[in-house]
Amino acid sequence: QVQLVESGGGLVQAGGSLRLSCAASGRTFNIVNMGWFRQAPGKEREFVAATRWSGGSTWYADSVKGRFTISRDNAQNMVYLQMNSLKPEDTAVYYCAAAERIGARWQESYDYWGQGTQVTVSS
């Protein structure tokens, strides 16, 4: 009963920045975690970042730690991913996800997924 729509993807040069947005709609009151995942061609889906909907707890994959920042606006049902110092290996389809239950790990237990937004980083 939750719909997620990502936006903000595009083509950027290496070293540049991009901010992704995810709008949640529907019955969002049961959301406990929001996360970002990505999938590059020929690779498995990869956890990127997550945030607890209440409070300031966040978690990042080692590959993006120090470069990406996840944030959220509960009042507007929005989650963001600020991506800095982008590298060609960051090229992927980025997906927003919502969880109504807390899993053992940040990358687990997501119930709803967006359609994805393409991020392409050129050399």
Side-chain angles (χ1 to χ4, degrees), residues 96-111:
C96 178
E100 295 183 334
R101 51 199 164 94
I102 299 175
R105 302 178 185 275
W106 283 98
Q107 60 266 48
E108 298 176 347
S109 303
Y110 290 90
D111 305 290

Side-chain angles (χ1 to χ4, degrees), residues 23-67:
S25 61
R27 306 190 71 178
T28 60
F29 52 85
N30 286 326
I31 293 175
V32 294
N33 287 335
M34 294 287 289
W36 287 96
F37 295 76
R38 67 187 183 186
Q39 187 166 23
K43 297 183 66 177
E44 293 184 320
R45 186 178 63 191
E46 176 187 25
F47 169 77
V48 176
T51 181
R52 189 138 291 161
W53 205 234
S54 299
S57 297
T58 58
W59 193 257
Y60 298 92
D62 289 340
S63 60
V64 306
K65 195 173 298 181
R67 300 188 297 122

